[in-house]
Amino acid sequence: RTEGGREMAAWARAVRGLLLDVSGVLYDSGGDGGVPIAGSVEAVRRIKASGLKLQFCTNETQATREKFVKKLQGMGFDISVAEVTAPAPAACRILKERSLRPHLLVHNDLVPEFAEIDKANPNCVVIGDAAENFTYANLNEAFRVLIGMEKPVLISLGRGRYYKETDGLKLDVGAYMKALEYACDVQAEVVGKPAKAFFESALAEMGVPPQEAIMIGDDIVNDVGGAQRCGMRALQVRTGKYRPCDENHPHVKPDAYVNNLAEAVDVILQQL
Amino acid sequence: RTEGGREMAAWARAVRGLLLDVSGVLYDSGGDGGVPIAGSVEAVRRIKASGLKLQFCTNETQATREKFVKKLQGMGFDISVAEVTAPAPAACRILKERSLRPHLLVHNDLVPEFAEIDKANPNCVVIGDAAENFTYANLNEAFRVLIGMEKPVLISLGRGRYYKETDGLKLDVGAYMKALEYACDVQAEVVGKPAKAFFESALAEMGVPPQEAIMIGDDIVNDVGGAQRCGMRALQVRTGKYRPCDENHPHVKPDAYVNNLAEAVDVILQQL
């Protein structure tokens, strides 16, 4: 079931940079933090040795990039903080540019990413996957801050519906975003995949234009669809949250399927 | 500012029954349960003495009808359980008709309304204003039950955005309904105002056709708009959640405004 090789031949020769999703591509979440997907540690090393530019593009908002990178390094991945594009730093740029002072409804471990941001007298709400912080009291508080504004500004770190942890499925930030959107009759500004500005900032980090970059991800909508709308090619791996029914998605068709990151790297490096 | 009298003259003579919203029309919620709105206790008595049919039509889901009625009786209102149309009993009818076994995400005080309903091995989720029961764990649990169904069925007891309590604004059931709708890519079936079936069951209880009934409420969308879509006339009172900007609502225009329930009853009884 590897149709990647032939289909990619025509355009993969132009590639100069790769964007990699992290969870479900490099590793699978598990009880004690995660397990590398077979061949992925070596695949990242081979990308770096090839001279291709590389950026990791994640919607992770349950930890600072420092913590996140440390976890991946602990699994053996060659990765540094500067190589990670994540929603919280992108949100911080927006907050600074627009002089916004956030009320935060985020995971405790993400709070340090906002250390340098003025949070007094808030004029916007930033919502991330707050997990256990999604209490009735905290949701009402974020709502009251938002509804009290003359023109409510809601910034959401992603729009995921749900995700899987070892103890079962969990509602993701997108569900809580929808609750606040409805209550306040406001449209959230989404930072993170699939937002165009988010992919563009990852591309800018590499200094590679979209037509010379390939996104590799497990999420048909947020990774593949988002990258393609940016003018990039995108591969879907058959790991992580990939499901066979993704291959009949009504709107999004990846430029190729690969069984996993190792195979993606095989096929791409063959074209160079 | 009483334009009610003249405007209503033409059609109010046909009236045979009144539907009254409760919170914001009969009483205002307060710290220790509520305070009657001036003239409302007497207004209910005058309606009953006039021979008009009367039904109370509420979206209240934080208590059984028994408890709710007891609270109102305590404030001096002449009201009985049989005169109250509320979402939970309406939902129970639907559950029985369609052999649905609910997973309940509702207020503890509402649970007894579902005492006779089979809740084993659930094949739908019923969500009400669960208040403190809207915990992260309970929301994830309701979500897991729903996403685990081949064809998810979500029944929502109302679609309110928020409401006010003495300690501040609170997110209402509609916000949490939207979160589950988004996560499961499903559309909730709403029981309660402004659903047409809900008004129709209140009318059936009185045995009065819509064109001979008047709805009196403080909510421009759920009371006035909902009743009008059912073929009823509807008055908005300037008490409860009424706001002056309601009078410029883009879609809904009440058949008349009245300052409060007492004035509504004055004007209606004058026409008989």
Side-chain angles (χ1 to χ4, degrees), chain A residues 131-132 134 136 139-140 143-144 147 159-163 167-171 174-176 178-179 182-183 185, chain B residues 131-132 134 136 139-140 143-144 147 159-163 167-171 174-176 178-179 182-183 185:
Chain A
E132 303 289 343
F134 280 133
Y136 181 61
L139 281 164
N140 280 328
F143 160 67
R144 275 179 220 133
I147 198 82
R159 52 181 299 128
R161 293 167 187 267
Y162 59 89
Y163 55 88
D167 57 340
L169 296 174
K170 305 277 173 76
L171 288 169
Y176 294 96
K178 286 288 172 183
Y182 177 71
D185 198 15
Chain B
E132 303 289 344
F134 280 133
Y136 182 60
L139 281 164
N140 280 329
F143 159 67
R144 276 179 219 132
I147 198 82
R159 53 179 301 128
R161 294 168 187 265
Y162 59 90
Y163 55 88
D167 57 341
L169 296 174
K170 303 276 173 77
L171 289 168
Y176 295 95
K178 286 287 171 185
Y182 177 71
D185 197 16

Side-chain angles (χ1 to χ4, degrees), chain A residues 51-265:
Chain A
L52 287 174
K53 302 272 189 172
L54 176 60
Q55 188 76 9
F56 300 93
C57 189
T58 178
N59 270 6
E60 168 67 36
T61 62
Q62 284 207 1
T64 58
R65 278 184 301 175
E66 283 72 14
K67 258 197 158 175
F68 183 61
V69 160
K70 207 162 267 177
K71 183 174 82 173
L72 289 161
Q73 288 171 340
M75 291 183 226
F77 288 102
D78 178 1
I79 183 173
S80 67
V81 169
E83 293 169 327
V84 176
T85 300
C92 286
R93 276 195 301 277
I94 292 171
L95 295 170
K96 282 178 194 160
E97 277 166 23
R98 288 160 54 187
S99 301
L100 291 170
R101 299 176 306 276
H103 170 91
L104 297 177
L105 179 52
V106 300
H107 198 286
N108 286 347
D109 290 346
L110 194 70
V111 173
E113 291 273 21
F114 297 89
E116 288 174 24
I117 302 287
D118 179 10
K119 291 178 281 288
N121 189 17
N123 58 2
C124 78
V125 167
V126 172
I127 183 176
D129 175 20
E132 303 289 343
N133 277 350
F134 280 133
T135 63
Y136 181 61
N138 286 350
L139 281 164
N140 280 328
E141 196 188 348
F143 160 67
R144 275 179 220 133
V145 170
L146 207 52
I147 198 82
M149 295 172 194
E150 200 179 338
K151 203 178 157 354
V153 175
L154 174 61
I155 294 176
S156 187
L157 306 179
R159 52 181 299 128
R161 293 167 187 267
Y162 59 89
Y163 55 88
K164 193 176 181 171
E165 290 199 334
T166 40
D167 57 340
L169 296 174
K170 305 277 173 76
L171 288 169
D172 199 357
V173 60
Y176 294 96
M177 172 191 89
K178 286 288 172 183
L180 292 177
E181 281 188 341
Y182 177 71
C184 300
D185 198 15
V186 67
Q187 180 107 37
E189 304 173 33
V190 177
V191 178
K193 299 175 287 187
K196 205 174 174 190
F198 190 69
F199 285 106
E200 286 170 347
S201 81
L203 290 169
E205 206 61 52
M206 297 196 293
V208 170
Q211 61 277 12
E212 296 177 9
I214 298 175
M215 172 80 204
I216 302 173
D218 64 336
D219 187 317
I220 182 75
V221 171
N222 290 313
D223 293 328
V224 176
Q228 287 176 334
R229 271 206 312 281
C230 254
M232 301 169 62
R233 302 281 178 162
L235 311 187
Q236 189 177 11
V237 290
R238 294 195 180 102
T239 55
K241 70 169 67 164
Y242 163 85
R243 293 286 169 273
C245 64
D246 291 346
E247 305 202 14
N248 305 314
H249 193 279
H251 307 305
V252 184
K253 190 177 154 39
D255 292 282
Y257 292 98
V258 285
N259 285 322
N260 49 48
L261 179 62
E263 187 181 289
V265 172

Side-chain angles (χ1 to χ4, degrees), chain B residues 87-126:
Chain B
C92 287
R93 275 194 302 278
I94 292 171
L95 295 170
K96 281 177 194 161
E97 277 166 24
R98 289 161 54 188
S99 301
L100 290 170
R101 300 177 305 276
H103 170 91
L104 298 178
L105 178 51
V106 301
H107 197 285
N108 287 346
D109 290 347
L110 193 70
V111 173
E113 291 274 21
F114 297 88
E116 287 174 23
I117 302 287
D118 179 11
K119 290 177 282 287
N121 188 17
N123 57 3
C124 78
V125 167
V126 171

Side-chain angles (χ1 to χ4, degrees), chain A residues 38-50:
Chain A
S40 288
V41 168
E42 187 53 29
V44 169
R45 273 204 207 98
R46 288 164 63 209
I47 296 167
K48 291 197 166 179
S50 75

